[in-house]
Amino acid sequence: MSLTNKRFRPALLSAAIAASVTSVGVFAQEEDGNTSLEEITVTGFRKSVMDSIGTKRDASSVVEAISAEDIGKLPDSSIADAISRLPGLATQRLDGRSSRVSIRGFGENESATTFNGREQVSISDNRGVEFDLYPSEIMSGVTVHKTPQANIDAEGIAGVIDMQTVKPLERGERTVQFNGQMEMTGFDKLNPDGEDQGQRFTFSYIDQFADDTIGVALAVNSMSSPSQEERWNSWGYPEFEVDGQQYSILGGAKPFVRSSVLDRDSVMLVVEAQPNDRLNTTFDALYVDFADEKILRGIEVPFAWGQGSLSADFADVDPATGFITSANTDGQRVVVRNDFESRKAELTSFGFNAEFEATDDLQLEFDVSHSAVERQIWSFESYAGTGRGNDNGVADNLSYTFKPGNTGVNFTHELDYSDFDLIQLGGPLTWGWSQALNDSLGITGTPLENSGQDGFLNTPEIDDELTSLKLAATQMVEAGIVNEISYGISYRDREKTKRSQGYYMTLEGFPTEFEGTLVVPEQYRLGSTSLDFIGMGDMVAYDARGLLNDGYYNLTDEALTGIQHLTGSYTVQEAVTAAFVQANFETEVAGFPLTGNLGARYVHTDQRSEGYAGDVQDGLVVGVENNVDHDYGHFLPSLNLSLALTDAQTLRFGAAKTISRARMDEMNSSVNVSPSSTPDGNGLYWSVGGGNPTLEPKEAVGLDLSYENYFSEEGYFSVALFWKDLSNWHFDDNYVIDIAEMPGYDPARTADAAFVDGVESLATRYSKVNGGGGTLQGYELSGSLPFNIFHESLDGFGLIASHTGLSQDIEDLNGNEYELPGLSESIQTFTVYYDNHGFSARTSLRKRDDFKGEVYGVGFSTQQVDVVGETLVDAQIGYDFAESGIGGLEGLSVFLQGQNLTDEPFTTLSGDNALQVRDYQSYGKTYLMGFSYKL
């Protein structure tokens, strides 16, 4: 039996149902009375919709899918944008790009991402994949598994997102294709050295050789994509008294404009060989060179938390909101920032899969893969002002007036911040206190003490490596209702290392050659950058990166005195061994065909964390190695049922236990072990804070019930209910441990050691722990409606829509309510399209309610913030010349796309008050114009 027959024969009942709804032809009556099949070819976006519906319909569990008609022709310009249109899925934007994906209310750390069925490494500090690393241009499709199956080799409470490459032998013909795009941002250049235009290019080649026994697919992609932003960022809102009443006032702000370019070059190779009907082998390789560079310029303005004098006499208040809507500060110095950030990553992924049909009833599978990523961040801040230190240089008199909704302010000022004679290099405020920095500069005990920081450089690094091996078999059987049994074992070895590094920057020559500031050398001046969006006018723009590269700054390691780099550096190793068995079955219930699978996975994990235990002693960090081993196992059963009510109607049920592994920044063994001169709330003098290497996975038991009606080849509607019982969740806690054997513990460091129950070495431990939980429940309504079911004149018109409602009831260890990161109570998607006779047009909307999301904080640590809900609108028009009848243009198609057409901002809050706006980021619109040409 040939392996090309979809991996054994499909079950007879399933095949009959599929055949009744998947035909792409229509029957026509000929004059002689014979019936023939008239083939109707559907291409473009409609073909993608039909293929996606087919994948969903034919799946043995609850899935969503997107499909590309050809390489480089996914319906969206990024994988994250494409899958965010699927029911129940939503994305979080980072720097204007959809990147982090949540599934049914769970954030990216609760799902798994696979590439051709294999778990992938990530460039983040944790497990969640940032999808802008993967080029959509080389993918043939993405499938989201919302309910698990035992034979899926990945774990995630939310689900599994599988990205797929093309299978060249399935294409059956040679394809040579070129895709190109031009991209332009809605903003003009916000920085003089920024970019507002970019381009993308993809070349793909698919062919078959040796009588169609060898297939090759090659895709090469290069992208340079600009992004720009005007960002308002507030420090916070302290209380200030006016007329005896307390009002919220602006504490300070760090607004800036950003110009970014994402450069990404990738190569994908797939070699498929099928020398006979019994053996099929596939080798795939992916290489991605990723670089995201950002230019950021702005003015950091202390206000209520600054040195200037405030007067209640000049403050305007709004009693209804409790905010001071405008105020003045006199004698305030600011920090003029010229910053630069480079985030580079290199990904390599190799996989080999072999399927061998040992007999007509037994198929064996062997799969091996290796993926690795190296990420380097180089982010620095360069400071300038009117003088060095708190009390030198000209101070400014400033006022602010809040914009509507506190989404920014309009400042007034008296100084010209674009004057290079006035604004010079050097730290204008003494924020960077470091004993090591003072000592290295020789300014300890002098008037210059604490004034040596002229900038800061962050250089964290990530190395992530994963090797996996799988052996499996599928046996056709006749054992009652069971017709197929799959079983196998797999092994995954993963090692992720993070190195946290940071450096104080000091101008070369300070303080021996000069004690003040330094005029920006002429060759590094770039002109000015406009900050009119906050009323600050123009500011000096200079090449800070060039100054650093050319030796204008000396570096002092912050790790000498900052414990956060020691506790933020670690290696986590995981060796995961899994075994599974799954039985596929079919029968009848009350005359209705019932198919499904029942299976179980046992997953055992051996974990090792290599980190440090340390503290600051006499002003300097002292650390020792702290390595911890831990192991655990989970039994994960799953059941999927599919009841065919009619040829087009299906009722599905799923039940399963799933797990999500702990975040690596919460489960590593790097800790701060420190004594105190006074006892804490537990009466103890020692504390230990940091990761918890014994933290085990979160667990969930889930139930899914859905009704699906496939009323036409490109039309369906579905109603789904789902419920998950969550346990062993991760919450912050403090508890008492004995640290007698812990590295870094020295009883001599506590003069008045506390003895509790006769033990001297007790300490309060601060970390994440397992505990608490609750339930998440929701419903999904989704459908695709082709208008040709109403009248043939509407052929080509259609709409796709979904609505997801979510609720939760989760409590922490102390019974307090807890909100899941990534959960929006309501998610909607809507796309209306026309695709016929070569013309195509569509408009899409994505809407989600408020949620808790993660952004990068100080030192590139992640921090959770409240994100305001958003509505994103995109549109695209295009034409495929295949039906034009113009010779030589049959393989050409062109399109024009607009993204974020309503300029929807990304907004976060610093509290539960909608007026306490933390970030208000405006990205503007983005326009793309492109073509595809197939030879």
Side-chain angles (χ1 to χ4, degrees):
M1 184 170 294
S2 171
L3 279 168
T4 60
N5 191 19
K6 287 191 178 179
R7 225 187 133 176
F8 292 104
R9 59 184 180 274
L12 297 179
L13 291 172
S14 302
I17 294 169
S20 67
V21 295
T22 60
S23 171
V24 294
V26 296
F27 287 101
Q29 191 73 26
E30 295 183 349
E31 292 182 2
D32 60 3
N34 294 327
T35 301
S36 66
L37 187 64
E38 177 188 346
E39 191 72 20
I40 297 176
T41 302
V42 179
T43 61
F45 181 71
R46 289 175 68 187
K47 177 65 162 53
S48 174
V49 171
M50 292 173 65
D51 288 347
S52 300
I53 292 175
T55 300
K56 178 180 178 68
R57 178 187 58 232
D58 296 338
S60 56
S61 59
V62 179
V63 305
E64 308 291 346
I66 55 174
S67 175
E69 178 190 11
D70 293 299
I71 290 180
K73 296 186 70 174
L74 273 177
D76 289 275
S77 60
S78 76
I79 292 176
D81 280 331
I83 62 179
S84 68
R85 306 191 195 286
L86 297 175
L89 275 71
T91 58
Q92 177 186 328
R93 292 184 291 173
L94 293 176
D95 293 332
R97 305 181 193 278
S98 297
S99 183
R100 294 174 175 167
V101 176
S102 62
I103 304 175
R104 286 180 167 179
F106 292 100
E108 71 275 6
N109 288 301
E110 314 307 336
S111 62
T113 300
T114 58
F115 180 61
N116 287 333
R118 309 173 186 113
E119 189 172 352
Q120 286 295 287
V121 293
S122 71
I123 61 172
S124 68
D125 292 1
N126 295 295
R127 304 177 191 274
V129 168
E130 295 182 10
F131 282 91
D132 52 7
L133 176 65
Y134 293 90
S136 64
E137 293 87 350
I138 67 173
M139 301 297 172
S140 65
V142 182
T143 301
V144 180
H145 299 268
K146 291 181 174 177
T147 59
Q149 292 186 166
N151 61 357
I152 297 178
D153 198 33
E155 299 86 33
I157 288 175
V160 177
I161 301 173
D162 183 41
M163 300 177 288
Q164 302 119 23
T165 57
V166 67
K167 301 281 283 186
L169 287 181
E170 293 181 1
R171 291 301 173 108
E173 62 180 1
R174 175 185 296 175
T175 302
V176 180
Q177 186 168 314
F178 300 87
N179 300 328
Q181 297 180 24
M182 294 294 295
E183 184 175 356
M184 182 175 67
T185 64
F187 285 126
D188 292 332
K189 288 185 179 181
L190 296 181
N191 283 288
D193 48 346
E195 298 289 343
D196 59 1
Q197 295 184 8
Q199 64 282 327
R200 309 180 187 197
F201 176 79
T202 304
F203 165 77
S204 62
Y205 170 78
I206 302 175
D207 208 347
Q208 300 80 34
F209 306 94
D211 295 327
D212 291 338
T213 60
I214 298 177
V216 175
L218 173 68
V220 180
N221 171 259
S222 180
M223 180 184 78
S224 181
S225 175
S227 173
Q228 299 197 95
E229 170 193 352
E230 292 178 339
R231 177 181 297 187
W232 164 254
N233 175 267
S234 70
W235 290 358
Y237 303 89
E239 295 294 304
F240 186 76
E241 184 176 318
V242 178
D243 296 332
Q245 299 292 323
Q246 295 292 323
Y247 294 90
S248 296
I249 190 173
L250 178 67
K254 188 175 66 175
F256 58 79
V257 294
R258 173 184 58 82
S259 298
S260 300
V261 175
L262 174 58
D263 290 319
R264 186 182 60 208
D265 297 318
S266 58
V267 180
M268 179 201 71
L269 174 67
V270 180
V271 180
E272 185 179 11
Q274 187 172 318
N276 53 58
D277 287 345
R278 292 189 176 274
L279 177 64
N280 180 279
T281 64
T282 305
F283 169 80
D284 60 77
L286 175 65
Y287 171 79
V288 180
D289 186 10
F290 173 99
D292 187 10
E293 294 190 345
K294 306 173 187 177
I295 301 166
L296 308 103
R297 292 190 174 95
I299 299 178
E300 201 155 6
V301 183
F303 209 88
W305 285 327
Q307 62 184 188
S309 60
L310 298 171
S311 172
D313 296 336
F314 298 98
D316 294 327
V317 302
D318 182 359
T321 63
F323 276 81
I324 296 176
T325 57
S326 65
N328 298 351
T329 181
D330 293 338
Q332 179 60 57
R333 293 169 179 84
V334 301
V335 180
V336 178
R337 299 271 296 266
N338 277 250
D339 299 353
F340 177 81
E341 178 185 319
S342 173
R343 187 170 60 126
K344 295 184 178 181
E346 188 174 65
L347 169 73
T348 55
S349 178
F350 303 94
F352 176 78
N353 179 272
E355 294 179 344
F356 177 64
E357 194 170 302
T359 69
D360 286 349
D361 296 324
L362 176 63
Q363 180 177 294
L364 306 177
E365 180 184 5
F366 169 76
D367 192 277
V368 62
S369 65
H370 177 80
S371 62
V373 67
E374 296 179 356
R375 187 208 74 185
Q376 295 179 325
I377 290 179
W378 200 64
S379 173
F380 70 88
E381 308 164 357
S382 174
Y383 308 150
T386 61
R388 178 178 294 275
N390 287 331
D391 303 319
N392 297 311
V394 182
D396 203 353
N397 299 322
L398 302 162
S399 71
Y400 79 81
T401 301
F402 274 126
K403 294 180 180 180
N406 292 4
T407 58
V409 303
N410 284 311
F411 285 111
T412 64
H413 59 99
E414 297 178 0
L415 299 182
D416 180 4
Y417 292 98
S418 66
D419 185 352
F420 278 97
D421 292 328
L422 175 66
I423 306 301
Q424 301 182 10
L425 298 175
L429 295 172
T430 57
W431 290 345
W433 184 90
S434 167
Q435 187 64 50
L437 180 62
N438 287 331
D439 292 344
S440 68
L441 296 174
I443 57 176
T444 302
T446 75
L448 296 175
E449 186 173 13
N450 299 334
S451 66
Q453 183 181 352
D454 300 325
F456 194 83
L457 174 64
N458 269 303
T459 61
E461 297 179 353
I462 286 285
D463 292 334
D464 197 358
E465 194 167 356
L466 175 63
T467 300
S468 63
L469 176 68
K470 178 181 178 181
L471 296 172
T474 302
Q475 178 81 48
M476 301 293 290
V477 299
E478 295 181 1
I481 66 173
V482 177
N483 54 36
E484 183 179 286
I485 296 178
S486 300
Y487 48 91
I489 59 173
S490 64
Y491 176 79
R492 302 197 305 267
D493 186 4
R494 184 173 190 174
E495 179 175 298
K496 187 155 192 167
T497 299
K498 180 183 179 183
R499 292 175 291 276
S500 178
Q501 302 170 101
Y503 303 90
Y504 296 105
M505 294 167 48
T506 305
L507 286 167
E508 169 68 25
F510 174 84
T512 56
E513 299 178 17
F514 63 92
E515 295 185 352
T517 55
L518 180 68
V519 175
V520 177
E522 192 72 34
Q523 65 269 31
Y524 299 100
R525 300 183 185 185
L526 299 174
S528 62
T529 290
S530 173
L531 298 179
D532 285 342
F533 80 104
I534 55 167
M536 290 297 289
D538 292 343
M539 61 163 281
V540 297
Y542 56 85
D543 183 7
R545 176 173 39 171
L547 288 166
L548 181 60
N549 289 338
D550 292 344
Y552 276 80
Y553 292 97
N554 293 323
L555 304 181
T556 302
D557 193 349
E558 187 188 33
L560 294 172
T561 55
I563 190 67
Q564 67 272 22
H565 293 293
L566 187 78
T567 57
S569 299
Y570 50 81
T571 294
V572 174
Q573 300 169 329
E574 289 177 333
V576 180
T577 304
F580 79 91
V581 61
Q582 177 175 301
N584 296 343
F585 56 84
E586 68 173 21
T587 185
E588 288 190 1
V589 176
F592 296 105
L594 175 69
T595 60
N597 58 70
L598 174 65
R601 291 174 59 83
Y602 180 75
V603 183
H604 183 267
T605 303
D606 286 305
Q607 174 187 304
R608 178 176 175 81
S609 179
E610 299 177 355
Y612 303 91
D615 190 24
V616 178
Q617 301 180 28
D618 298 326
L620 298 175
V621 172
V622 177
V624 295
E625 289 187 359
N626 183 36
N627 303 328
V628 180
D629 295 315
H630 185 58
D631 68 281
Y632 51 84
H634 288 84
F635 178 74
L636 307 174
S638 62
L639 170 68
N640 289 282
L641 300 175
S642 179
L643 184 69
L645 304 177
T646 67
D647 287 349
Q649 300 179 70
T650 301
L651 187 66
R652 295 185 187 272
F653 174 78
K657 182 177 181 179
T658 53
I659 61 172
S660 289
R661 300 182 187 278
R663 293 167 49 118
M664 291 182 174
D665 61 351
E666 295 176 351
M667 60 175 282
N668 67 83
S669 60
S670 289
V671 292
N672 182 4
V673 183
S674 58
S676 173
S677 59
T678 58
D680 61 15
N682 293 322
L684 304 177
Y685 288 80
W686 282 90
S687 65
V688 179
N692 179 4
T694 65
L695 197 62
E696 297 193 355
K698 306 167 186 173
E699 300 178 1
V701 174
L703 300 176
D704 289 77
L705 179 66
S706 64
Y707 166 78
E708 300 169 2
N709 188 319
Y710 299 93
F711 54 84
S712 83
E713 297 167 7
E714 52 185 313
Y716 85 97
F717 68 88
S718 172
V719 180
L721 303 174
F722 51 91
W723 174 88
K724 291 185 185 294
D725 180 44
L726 311 177
S727 59
N728 280 336
W729 220 249
H730 299 164
F731 294 104
D732 290 313
D733 195 18
N734 70 85
Y735 47 99
V736 177
I737 63 172
D738 190 338
I739 60 172
E741 303 300 324
M742 176 172 283
Y745 169 64
D746 180 4
R749 295 185 60 204
T750 51
D752 299 314
F755 285 80
V756 178
D757 296 329
V759 180
E760 181 183 12
S761 54
L762 295 182
T764 301
R765 180 74 157 95
Y766 299 89
S767 73
K768 295 285 186 180
V769 298
N770 290 102
T775 62
L776 177 144
Q777 46 278 326
Y779 65 92
E780 285 176 357
L781 308 174
S782 63
S784 175
L785 179 64
F787 291 177
N788 57 15
I789 67 171
F790 303 117
H791 194 273
E792 61 182 10
S793 64
L794 298 177
D795 187 42
F797 288 97
L799 67 85
I800 305 168
S802 70
H803 170 80
T804 303
L806 294 160
S807 63
Q808 64 165 54
D809 183 13
I810 302 175
E811 295 181 347
D812 65 13
L813 296 165
N814 300 313
N816 301 312
E817 292 185 0
Y818 172 77
E819 185 176 343
L820 282 172
L823 187 145
S824 295
E825 292 185 353
S826 177
I827 304 170
Q828 292 88 30
T829 66
F830 182 86
T831 297
V832 59
Y833 67 88
Y834 174 78
D835 193 343
N836 206 3
H837 305 300
F839 290 98
S840 64
R842 69 178 186 269
T843 299
S844 298
L845 176 147
R846 293 174 286 159
K847 184 179 186 299
R848 69 180 303 185
D849 286 350
D850 301 349
F851 65 100
K852 288 189 178 296
E854 286 189 348
V855 297
Y856 286 113
V858 177
F860 281 87
S861 61
T862 56
Q863 70 181 96
Q864 192 174 107
V865 295
D866 292 305
V867 183
V868 176
E870 59 187 15
T871 301
L872 304 178
V873 178
D874 306 328
Q876 177 175 312
I877 59 173
Y879 182 71
D880 190 335
F881 285 85
E883 300 183 39
S884 68
I886 303 176
L889 297 183
E890 295 86 352
L892 177 65
S893 62
V894 296
F895 75 90
L896 176 65
Q897 184 179 99
Q899 300 174 350
N900 193 28
L901 293 177
T902 58
D903 190 13
E904 184 77 353
F906 178 79
T907 308
T908 67
L909 307 177
S910 57
D912 55 5
N913 187 332
L915 294 177
Q916 290 185 337
V917 176
R918 176 187 181 274
D919 269 317
Y920 186 85
Q921 305 174 15
S922 175
Y923 306 122
K925 306 175 182 67
T926 300
Y927 303 99
L928 298 97
M929 180 174 63
F931 75 92
S932 175
Y933 188 76
K934 185 192 297 184
L935 298 178

